[in-house]
Amino acid sequence: QVQLVESGGGLVQAGGSLRLSCEVSGRTFSTYTMGWFRQAAGKEREFVAAIGWNGGTSYIGSVKGRFTLSRDNANNLVYLQMNSLKPEDTAVYYCAAGKYMRTSSYSYDYWGQGTQVTVSS
């Protein structure tokens, strides 16, 4: 069984930075694509970024140049560095693991419980 635990969320002013972490249990971590999704209040969950087993990344346009996704396969960790945060980045952020690099949440098999990110203006 694969379990994901996010951490690093919090309250930050616009223009600030946060780094989210996702710790993954399971010996096959290095083979998974790891994704981050977010869900703002009253909105659908949306894809933010993903990183494949080989380090290739994909981002939605609104976070390109501001967010950086990385992974540490030796320690089963994924990091989402978020810079120049905006109020519209406010959401619950979820880490997910799946077999393929896709933007659809249906492509991911395992999910964390989420961590709240709030950006004040």
Side-chain angles (χ1 to χ4, degrees):
Q1 184 69 12
V2 177
Q3 292 184 323
L4 290 71
V5 179
E6 302 98 333
S7 61
L11 173 64
V12 65
Q13 288 188 332
S17 298
L18 283 174
R19 188 177 78 159
L20 303 184
S21 300
C22 177
E23 184 173 7
V24 184
S25 66
R27 291 178 290 178
T28 58
F29 168 77
S30 62
T31 67
Y32 283 109
T33 286
M34 300 301 301
W36 284 92
F37 289 75
R38 64 188 181 187
Q39 188 166 17
K43 295 187 177 181
E44 294 186 352
R45 190 171 298 188
E46 69 170 351
F47 171 82
V48 175
I51 185 166
W53 62 269
N54 60 355
T57 54
S58 176
Y59 300 90
I60 56 168
S62 61
V63 308
K64 281 183 179 178
R66 300 190 298 123
F67 290 11
T68 303
L69 187 52
S70 60
R71 66 189 298 162
D72 177 356
N73 286 339
N75 294 295
N76 285 18
L77 288 165
V78 178
Y79 301 106
L80 182 65
Q81 178 67 44
M82 305 186 296
N83 298 329
S84 301
L85 283 161
K86 304 175 181 180
E88 52 263 44
D89 294 318
T90 295
V92 177
Y93 283 71
Y94 296 90
C95 178
K99 294 181 181 179
Y100 308 107
M101 185 176 289
R102 298 285 189 268
T103 61
S104 169
S105 62
Y106 294 105
S107 297
Y108 293 81
D109 303 310
Y110 304 100
W111 292 82
Q113 81 288 350
T115 186
Q116 177 70 47
V117 171
T118 303
V119 185
S120 63
S121 57

Short mmCIF file of all heavy atoms in Angstrom, two decimals, residues 8-35:
data_model
loop_
_atom_site.label_atom_id
_atom_site.label_comp_id
_atom_site.label_asym_id
_atom_site.label_seq_id
_atom_site.Cartn_x
_atom_site.Cartn_y
_atom_site.Cartn_z
N GLY A 8 4.01 21.40 4.89
CA GLY A 8 4.61 22.65 4.42
C GLY A 8 3.63 23.75 4.08
O GLY A 8 4.05 24.86 3.74
N GLY A 9 2.34 23.47 4.14
CA GLY A 9 1.36 24.52 3.86
C GLY A 9 1.34 25.56 4.97
O GLY A 9 1.95 25.40 6.01
N GLY A 10 0.61 26.63 4.71
CA GLY A 10 0.50 27.68 5.72
C GLY A 10 -0.03 28.97 5.12
O GLY A 10 -0.55 28.99 4.00
N LEU A 11 0.12 30.03 5.90
CA LEU A 11 -0.34 31.36 5.51
C LEU A 11 0.87 32.19 5.12
O LEU A 11 1.86 32.26 5.88
CB LEU A 11 -1.08 32.02 6.67
CG LEU A 11 -1.50 33.47 6.49
CD1 LEU A 11 -2.50 33.60 5.35
CD2 LEU A 11 -2.09 34.00 7.80
N VAL A 12 0.79 32.84 3.98
CA VAL A 12 1.91 33.66 3.50
C VAL A 12 1.35 34.87 2.79
O VAL A 12 0.24 34.82 2.23
CB VAL A 12 2.83 32.83 2.57
CG1 VAL A 12 2.10 32.41 1.31
CG2 VAL A 12 4.10 33.57 2.25
N GLN A 13 2.08 35.95 2.80
CA GLN A 13 1.66 37.15 2.08
C GLN A 13 1.96 37.00 0.60
O GLN A 13 2.86 36.26 0.20
CB GLN A 13 2.38 38.37 2.64
CG GLN A 13 1.91 38.78 4.02
CD GLN A 13 2.51 40.10 4.46
OE1 GLN A 13 3.60 40.46 4.04
NE2 GLN A 13 1.81 40.82 5.32
N ALA A 14 1.20 37.72 -0.18
CA ALA A 14 1.44 37.73 -1.63
C ALA A 14 2.89 38.10 -1.91
O ALA A 14 3.45 39.01 -1.28
CB ALA A 14 0.50 38.71 -2.30
N GLY A 15 3.49 37.38 -2.84
CA GLY A 15 4.90 37.58 -3.15
C GLY A 15 5.83 36.69 -2.38
O GLY A 15 7.02 36.60 -2.70
N GLY A 16 5.32 36.03 -1.37
CA GLY A 16 6.13 35.15 -0.55
C GLY A 16 6.31 33.78 -1.15
O GLY A 16 5.86 33.51 -2.27
N SER A 17 6.94 32.90 -0.38
CA SER A 17 7.26 31.56 -0.84
C SER A 17 6.88 30.51 0.19
O SER A 17 6.86 30.79 1.40
CB SER A 17 8.77 31.44 -1.12
OG SER A 17 9.18 32.32 -2.13
N LEU A 18 6.59 29.34 -0.29
CA LEU A 18 6.38 28.16 0.54
C LEU A 18 6.96 26.96 -0.20
O LEU A 18 6.99 26.95 -1.44
CB LEU A 18 4.89 27.90 0.79
CG LEU A 18 4.15 28.78 1.81
CD1 LEU A 18 2.66 28.44 1.78
CD2 LEU A 18 4.71 28.58 3.20
N ARG A 19 7.39 25.98 0.58
CA ARG A 19 7.80 24.72 -0.02
C ARG A 19 6.96 23.60 0.56
O ARG A 19 6.98 23.34 1.76
CB ARG A 19 9.28 24.43 0.22
CG ARG A 19 9.76 23.22 -0.58
CD ARG A 19 11.23 22.94 -0.43
NE ARG A 19 11.55 22.27 0.82
CZ ARG A 19 12.66 21.56 1.03
NH1 ARG A 19 13.56 21.47 0.07
NH2 ARG A 19 12.88 21.00 2.20
N LEU A 20 6.23 22.93 -0.32
CA LEU A 20 5.44 21.79 0.09
C LEU A 20 6.27 20.52 -0.10
O LEU A 20 7.03 20.40 -1.05
CB LEU A 20 4.16 21.68 -0.75
CG LEU A 20 3.24 22.91 -0.75
CD1 LEU A 20 1.98 22.59 -1.56
CD2 LEU A 20 2.91 23.35 0.64
N SER A 21 6.08 19.60 0.84
CA SER A 21 6.75 18.32 0.76
C SER A 21 5.71 17.22 0.72
O SER A 21 4.62 17.35 1.29
CB SER A 21 7.67 18.11 1.97
OG SER A 21 8.65 19.10 2.05
N CYS A 22 6.07 16.14 0.09
CA CYS A 22 5.20 14.96 0.06
C CYS A 22 6.10 13.76 0.32
O CYS A 22 7.02 13.48 -0.47
CB CYS A 22 4.51 14.84 -1.29
SG CYS A 22 3.48 13.37 -1.47
N GLU A 23 5.83 13.08 1.41
CA GLU A 23 6.58 11.87 1.75
C GLU A 23 5.75 10.67 1.36
O GLU A 23 4.56 10.58 1.68
CB GLU A 23 6.90 11.84 3.24
CG GLU A 23 7.77 10.65 3.63
CD GLU A 23 8.22 10.72 5.09
OE1 GLU A 23 7.75 11.60 5.82
OE2 GLU A 23 9.04 9.88 5.48
N VAL A 24 6.39 9.76 0.66
CA VAL A 24 5.69 8.60 0.10
C VAL A 24 6.24 7.32 0.70
O VAL A 24 7.45 7.11 0.71
CB VAL A 24 5.84 8.57 -1.43
CG1 VAL A 24 5.02 7.43 -2.02
CG2 VAL A 24 5.42 9.90 -2.04
N SER A 25 5.36 6.48 1.17
CA SER A 25 5.77 5.17 1.64
C SER A 25 5.67 4.19 0.48
O SER A 25 4.88 4.38 -0.44
CB SER A 25 4.87 4.70 2.78
OG SER A 25 3.55 4.49 2.32
N GLY A 26 6.47 3.16 0.51
CA GLY A 26 6.42 2.18 -0.57
C GLY A 26 7.74 2.09 -1.31
O GLY A 26 8.39 3.11 -1.55
N ARG A 27 8.11 0.90 -1.67
CA ARG A 27 9.41 0.68 -2.27
C ARG A 27 9.47 1.01 -3.75
O ARG A 27 10.54 1.02 -4.33
CB ARG A 27 9.82 -0.79 -2.06
CG ARG A 27 10.11 -1.11 -0.60
CD ARG A 27 10.46 -2.58 -0.44
NE ARG A 27 9.29 -3.42 -0.66
CZ ARG A 27 9.32 -4.75 -0.60
NH1 ARG A 27 10.45 -5.37 -0.37
NH2 ARG A 27 8.22 -5.44 -0.79
N THR A 28 8.33 1.27 -4.39
CA THR A 28 8.34 1.55 -5.82
C THR A 28 8.18 3.02 -6.13
O THR A 28 7.81 3.40 -7.23
CB THR A 28 7.19 0.77 -6.50
OG1 THR A 28 5.95 1.15 -5.89
CG2 THR A 28 7.39 -0.72 -6.38
N PHE A 29 8.50 3.87 -5.16
CA PHE A 29 8.32 5.32 -5.34
C PHE A 29 8.98 5.81 -6.62
O PHE A 29 8.41 6.60 -7.36
CB PHE A 29 8.91 6.05 -4.14
CG PHE A 29 9.04 7.54 -4.34
CD1 PHE A 29 7.93 8.35 -4.26
CD2 PHE A 29 10.28 8.12 -4.61
CE1 PHE A 29 8.04 9.72 -4.44
CE2 PHE A 29 10.39 9.48 -4.80
CZ PHE A 29 9.28 10.29 -4.71
N SER A 30 10.18 5.35 -6.90
CA SER A 30 10.95 5.90 -8.02
C SER A 30 10.30 5.63 -9.37
O SER A 30 10.64 6.27 -10.36
CB SER A 30 12.38 5.36 -8.00
OG SER A 30 12.37 3.95 -8.17
N THR A 31 9.37 4.69 -9.42
CA THR A 31 8.72 4.37 -10.68
C THR A 31 7.45 5.20 -10.92
O THR A 31 6.90 5.18 -12.02
CB THR A 31 8.33 2.89 -10.74
OG1 THR A 31 7.32 2.63 -9.76
CG2 THR A 31 9.54 2.00 -10.49
N TYR A 32 6.99 5.91 -9.92
CA TYR A 32 5.75 6.66 -10.04
C TYR A 32 5.95 8.05 -10.63
O TYR A 32 6.97 8.70 -10.40
CB TYR A 32 5.09 6.84 -8.67
CG TYR A 32 4.40 5.61 -8.14
CD1 TYR A 32 4.92 4.90 -7.07
CD2 TYR A 32 3.22 5.16 -8.71
CE1 TYR A 32 4.29 3.77 -6.58
CE2 TYR A 32 2.58 4.03 -8.23
CZ TYR A 32 3.12 3.34 -7.16
OH TYR A 32 2.49 2.23 -6.68
N THR A 33 4.96 8.47 -11.36
CA THR A 33 4.82 9.90 -11.64
C THR A 33 4.17 10.52 -10.42
O THR A 33 3.19 9.99 -9.88
CB THR A 33 3.93 10.13 -12.87
OG1 THR A 33 4.65 9.79 -14.05
CG2 THR A 33 3.52 11.59 -12.97
N MET A 34 4.71 11.63 -9.98
CA MET A 34 4.17 12.34 -8.81
C MET A 34 3.55 13.65 -9.27
O MET A 34 4.19 14.44 -10.00
CB MET A 34 5.28 12.61 -7.80
CG MET A 34 5.95 11.36 -7.27
SD MET A 34 4.79 10.24 -6.46
CE MET A 34 4.14 11.29 -5.17
N GLY A 35 2.33 13.87 -8.85
CA GLY A 35 1.63 15.08 -9.24
C GLY A 35 1.18 15.90 -8.06
O GLY A 35 1.05 15.38 -6.95
#
